[in-house]
Amino acid sequence: MTMQRINVQNERSPYEYPIVETHRLDGVGKQAFDVGRNRLIVAATVLSFAFLAVGYKLVDLTVLSGRAEAHFASNSAATAPQRARADVVDRNGVLLATSLPTPSLYADPAAVLDAEEAADKLAAAFPDMNRQALLTKLQAKGRFVWLRRNLSPQQQYDINRLGIPGVAFKMENRRVYPHGRLAAHVLGTTDVDGRGISGIEKYFDQSLLGGTRPLALSIDVRLQAILHQELSHAMAKFSAIGAAGLMKDVRTGEIVAMVSLPDFDANDKSALGGDASFNRATKGVYELGSSFKLFTAAMALDAGTVDWDGGYDATDPIRVARFTINDYHGKKRWLSVPEIIIYSSNIGAAKMAVDVGIKGQQRYLGDFGLLRPSAVELPETGHPLSPSPWREINAMTISYGHGIAVTPLHLATGISALVNGGIFRPATLLKQSTMAGQEIPGVRVITASTSERVRQLMRLVVTQGTGKNADAKGYLVGGKTGTADKQMGGRYREKSLISSFVAAFPMDAPRYVIMAMLDEPKGIKSTFNYATGGWVAAPVVKAMVERAASLLGIAPRVDQGEEVRPRILEAAITSRSAPTRASSRSVMTPLKVSMETIPMAARPMARPAVAESPRDRVARQTRAVLEQAVATR
């Protein structure tokens, strides 16, 4: 190789440039030259791929990550609602359900560097989570997977400390129920994505989602707590498998308390499902037994097929084909209408229903709302079961609550119409905008006079009949027991009872109906091993009245000396000259009893006429019993 110099002239100065003179390379030199060239090509290729990788990462962080976020936002199964749900409050503004912002953990599997290591760390942070399930999610082909929803602040802090690449948090709205299980079946719950799946949450899902004003319920959380406590105590005391109860305002239709047991805590999603999620108060359909005798008496008195002084012979059982209708503790004699209810006579009720007739019975039960689903604002509502075809034997058994099945809410709503003056008002869980003491318009189903007669009967059941354990001191409570065998596989099971008591108070001016029911209670020593409604459910109603009345502004009656006899009991004693058959809409004239007169218990009983018939004699004796009952109250 030689070097030459070439002079290049320009306007200013010459420059000298070296000229390389090349010679042909020998074999070794050519090989070295090729190796070097190949190495340069490889190095350039590697650098090109490196630059491409960096460029791809930049694109990934901008464009592709934006697509992942778009996928996250558009996939309803992988995101929480962007709008919070409105609060739910009780009638006094107490918070029952609200939404709180909480973090949820998700992963971008493509950004997770070591899925095995990440799964180990996450499984250690969440011991209740399956490592293999976590690993499967972290190795998924998609760009987004939920790992854990609704974390606590401590859990979020612990995950942050792990520093796992490809794992991040998303803020969601978690539904929270401050009172836990207290009103579980009323409120219902939401799923993990904040959508209502039961109860009020489901029924009003669309209006709650994104709502700004709280939804005010008719529930009073104070009364709800009392009813929950009393039913829980009775359920445990009598080893029942379930219980239900409710309290309803007869003037407005508002449900101020409603409980179904067993229940659940909606804050704990793992507790949902099974028997605890079943609402016995509105979904459970049961034969509720002798409570239906109140409807039977009401329709018979209202239709005029029997009057207050009338009655039926309950001496012998009724035999129809292969069926026999008997009384639990029969008196084996003619019974007046009040006695049929006081002594809960199946025979008397069945004969009363036959006089009303099938069509009349169907019409009245339909008017009381007992043949159609309730209109209450819950998705969990049961459909009543009634016979088809509806024959005379069905009319007889339905008269005392067998052969027809309804929910506890149906019964309470129907009884409300019986005691409030005869006006049917649908049950509601929404607070009604009314002035204090104002009534909601409704549909008349019986006359006011018939309603007063039913109140008389209910009060006598508590003072003289099977409901004595519901007699709350200082309050005029009236009610009716109900006991029925449960059906299993189309057959009745003995000693598997549905025991209930339905009541209203105060009976001189009814404001509230209370219903309590126990599912398969067991008798104990203090109840002489009885598990009927009068023994196990009536005490729940008594406790409820005694504890709730003061909260509702209902003062106890404090009487000096002889108790003031309420008007409804005076009306229970009718004149001996009253007609034997009243017109369908007549108002019976009660015998007015002066408080200044001699107590009736001290009056000599009138001497019967020589030609007095057995029926007249029993009627006279019945009146004497009622007179004495009034005098001793």
Side-chain angles (χ1 to χ4, degrees), residues 3-7 16-19:
M3 181 76 68
Q4 299 182 21
R5 291 186 178 273
I6 299 176
N7 294 328
E16 294 182 352
Y17 293 92
I19 299 298

Side-chain angles (χ1 to χ4, degrees), residues 180-189 198-199 224 258 263-266 276:
R181 63 180 65 246
L182 185 58
H185 290 95
V186 174
L187 296 172
T189 187
S198 65
Q224 184 78 10
M258 185 166 70
D263 55 11
F264 58 91
D265 185 349

Side-chain angles (χ1 to χ4, degrees), residues 503-524:
F505 84 103
M507 292 309 293
D508 52 350
R511 289 183 55 187
Y512 297 96
V513 161
I514 303 175
M515 197 273 181
M517 182 200 78
L518 293 179
D519 190 351
E520 294 191 22
K522 312 296 187 300
I524 58 177

Side-chain angles (χ1 to χ4, degrees), residues 37-253:
R37 183 183 59 185
N38 292 337
R39 288 178 177 176
L40 287 175
I41 293 173
V42 171
T45 303
V46 171
L47 289 174
S48 297
F49 277 110
F51 280 114
L52 286 174
V54 173
Y56 174 80
K57 192 63 177 178
L58 291 174
V59 173
D60 177 65
L61 293 175
T62 56
V63 179
L64 296 183
S65 292
R67 291 178 181 175
E69 288 296 329
H71 171 74
F72 169 81
S74 63
N75 188 349
S76 60
T79 182
Q82 299 303 310
R83 296 176 296 169
R85 294 174 72 84
D87 293 341
V88 180
V89 299
D90 85 334
R91 65 184 305 107
N92 299 310
V94 177
L95 191 64
L96 297 176
T98 190
S99 295
L100 297 178
T102 57
S104 290
L105 183 67
Y106 73 95
D108 178 359
V112 177
L113 299 181
D114 189 335
E116 294 279 355
E117 180 184 6
D120 290 337
K121 290 181 178 180
L122 291 172
F126 301 115
D128 59 325
M129 296 185 69
N130 182 274
R131 179 191 178 280
Q132 186 57 44
L134 285 169
L135 182 60
T136 300
K137 290 183 177 182
L138 294 172
Q139 293 177 335
K141 294 182 179 181
R143 299 303 309 275
F144 181 94
V145 289
W146 281 120
L147 298 179
R148 185 69 174 248
R149 309 289 287 273
N150 299 322
L151 303 180
S152 67
Q154 183 62 47
Q155 289 173 324
Q156 184 183 21
Y157 175 77
D158 292 341
I159 295 300
N160 265 329
R161 292 185 60 191
L162 296 177
I164 304 174
V167 172
F169 300 95
K170 181 73 177 180
M171 294 304 296
E172 298 191 278
N173 291 303
R174 180 182 182 182
R175 201 63 165 167
V176 177
Y177 304 90
H179 297 279
R181 63 180 65 246
L182 185 58
H185 290 95
V186 174
L187 296 172
T189 187
T190 60
D191 63 15
V192 71
D193 291 312
R195 297 284 182 175
I197 58 176
S198 65
I200 287 290
E201 295 280 23
K202 181 177 181 180
Y203 193 91
F204 292 103
D205 185 52
Q206 292 302 314
S207 58
L208 287 171
L209 186 60
T212 57
R213 299 183 59 184
L215 178 65
L217 301 185
S218 60
I219 295 295
D220 187 323
V221 73
R222 303 169 301 172
L223 305 178
Q224 184 78 10
I226 296 173
L227 183 58
H228 192 280
Q229 291 172 4
E230 295 300 334
L231 279 176
S232 297
H233 173 72
M235 182 175 167
K237 181 177 180 180
F238 299 108
S239 303
I241 65 172
L246 57 98
M247 185 172 182
K248 187 172 178 289
D249 190 325
V250 304
R251 302 164 303 177
T252 64

Side-chain angles (χ1 to χ4, degrees), residues 59 88 99 112 230 315 368 405 438-439 466 474 484 555 585:
V59 173
V88 180
S99 295
V112 177
E230 295 300 334
T315 304
F368 292 130
Q438 183 179 353
E439 294 185 349
T466 56
R585 303 292 178 181

